[in-house]
Amino acid sequence: MSLDYSAENAIEIKELNKSYKGFSLKDVSFNVPSGCVTGFIGQNGAGKSTTIKAILNMLKRDSGDIKVFGADNIENEFDIKENIGVVFDDIGFHPNLKPKHIDKILKGMYKNWDSKVFFEYLEKLDLPLKKKVGQYSRGMQMKLQIATALSHHAKLLIMDEPTGGLDPIVRNEILDIFMEFIQDSEHTVFLSSHIITDLERIADHIVFIHKGKVLLSEEKDIIAERHGILKCSKEQFDSVDMTDVIGYRKSSFGIEALVGDREKCAIKYKGMLCEKTTLEEIMLFYVNNSKE
């Protein structure tokens, strides 16, 4: 089966299951729309890396179906990997290698490897050509990974915590590259991160996973617009229908509750304040759900 780069979704996952001792992915299903940035959020240990490894066929799943560019990710693994760039949290290159060695190695691995593009990215990202990878700072190593991921004309970037541990200036530099990458609508970015502010800036779509289950998968703006923070006194909160509430927290000033339908609750609870909220607040309320 040939790959379909014009497919509506770059990645489609249906009922993915994978169990380890003490953790399991449970019927994980979501799509990564083509031509945009999808942010994959969740706490450390929520299942983000396991899901990404399943997409890349780096682990044996228990059950479920995964399609990339409309094709099965196991049957068409070689063709798919020719057309995706991958960035992991840790550097994958031997510390004694220099960029010229990496260029030579990857030229033999990818049919579409483009040395000119690779060295242009190195220059753009201010990466020293004569230093060994082991002498690079963490930020430099991450930028090197991104340069290699972008240098074989990949249609899809899959990244697991690429901005973790980087200073804000380097993070912004990297996010700008991702934004540039998707400008022509023919490229897709699937970005796992626990730095929600990064995703609030660049993501079009959000997938939120918690304890191996997908809780939200939708356009970022719709998620932000739909949810709200209901602010009220402890006495007022006694009258709130708990089916409207996702989670709440108490403070010396009263109660703040996350609701799943801000407009409905603003009408339903007229004597209380129902405000817009952020993606980070939404995630925190879901994770620290006081009703559990």
Side-chain angles (χ1 to χ4, degrees), residues 197-216:
T197 50
D198 286 355
L199 298 178
E200 287 191 312
R201 180 185 153 195
I202 69 165
D204 306 289
H205 192 91
I206 293 292
V207 178
F208 174 29
I209 191 168
H210 181 54
K211 294 182 178 177
K213 290 183 179 179
V214 172
L215 300 185
L216 295 169

Side-chain angles (χ1 to χ4, degrees), residues 125-266:
L125 295 169
D126 291 323
L127 293 174
L129 299 183
K130 295 184 179 179
K131 273 190 176 182
K132 294 177 179 179
V133 172
Q135 296 172 308
Y136 278 19
S137 67
R138 162 139 174 87
M140 286 177 178
Q141 290 182 349
M142 193 53 66
K143 287 196 282 187
L144 176 63
Q145 275 205 82
I146 290 164
T148 59
L150 290 165
S151 296
H152 63 281
H153 302 287
K155 297 289 187 183
L156 167 66
L157 284 186
I158 298 178
M159 289 167 290
D160 194 5
E161 301 285 356
T163 57
L166 302 181
D167 67 65
I169 293 171
V170 175
R171 283 200 350 247
N172 280 332
E173 197 177 351
I174 288 170
L175 295 177
D176 285 342
I177 291 169
F178 298 158
M179 292 298 288
E180 194 179 295
F181 179 72
I182 61 156
Q183 284 308 306
D184 61 1
S185 300
E186 292 183 0
H187 297 109
T188 304
V189 173
F190 183 52
L191 171 60
S192 157
S193 181
H194 66 276
I195 305 173
I196 308 303
T197 50
D198 286 355
L199 298 178
E200 287 191 312
R201 180 185 153 195
I202 69 165
D204 306 289
H205 192 91
I206 293 292
V207 178
F208 174 29
I209 191 168
H210 181 54
K211 294 182 178 177
K213 290 183 179 179
V214 172
L215 300 185
L216 295 169
S217 178
E218 207 164 13
E219 286 181 32
K220 179 190 67 182
D221 292 344
I222 291 174
I223 292 172
E225 190 63 33
R226 193 175 70 239
H227 290 79
I229 299 289
L230 187 69
K231 295 183 176 180
C232 59
S233 67
K234 291 170 185 174
E235 291 74 27
Q236 287 174 315
F237 191 62
D238 289 337
S239 66
V240 172
D241 182 350
M242 292 305 286
T243 60
D244 293 328
V245 176
I246 291 161
Y248 64 91
R249 62 189 174 209
K250 298 177 183 178
S251 72
S252 55
F253 301 105
I255 302 287
E256 289 185 337
L258 180 72
V259 294
D261 190 331
R262 182 173 58 85
E263 288 186 5
K264 183 185 87 171
C265 289

Side-chain angles (χ1 to χ4, degrees), residues 24-31 39-43 46-48 51 205-219 223 226-227 246-247 258 260 279-290 292:
S24 60
L25 290 179
K26 310 173 193 83
D27 293 322
V28 167
S29 299
F30 65 85
N31 296 328
F40 194 28
I41 66 173
Q43 288 179 296
K48 301 191 299 296
T51 303
H205 192 91
I206 293 292
V207 178
F208 174 29
I209 191 168
H210 181 54
K211 294 182 178 177
K213 290 183 179 179
V214 172
L215 300 185
L216 295 169
S217 178
E218 207 164 13
E219 286 181 32
I223 292 172
R226 193 175 70 239
H227 290 79
I246 291 161
L258 180 72
L279 191 59
E280 188 160 10
E281 280 280 88
I282 291 166
M283 177 178 156
L284 288 171
F285 270 103
Y286 270 99
V287 168
N288 301 317
N289 189 341
S290 298
E292 288 186 352

Side-chain angles (χ1 to χ4, degrees), residues 66-99:
I66 300 174
K67 289 184 178 179
V68 181
F69 307 124
D72 182 88
N73 76 318
I74 296 176
E75 292 176 12
N76 303 274
E77 181 177 4
F78 181 78
D79 288 339
I80 287 169
K81 286 184 175 177
E82 273 284 333
N83 291 279
I84 60 176
V86 180
V87 177
F88 284 114
D89 183 33
D90 55 333
I91 189 78
F93 302 117
H94 192 281
N96 286 333
L97 293 177
K98 293 178 181 178

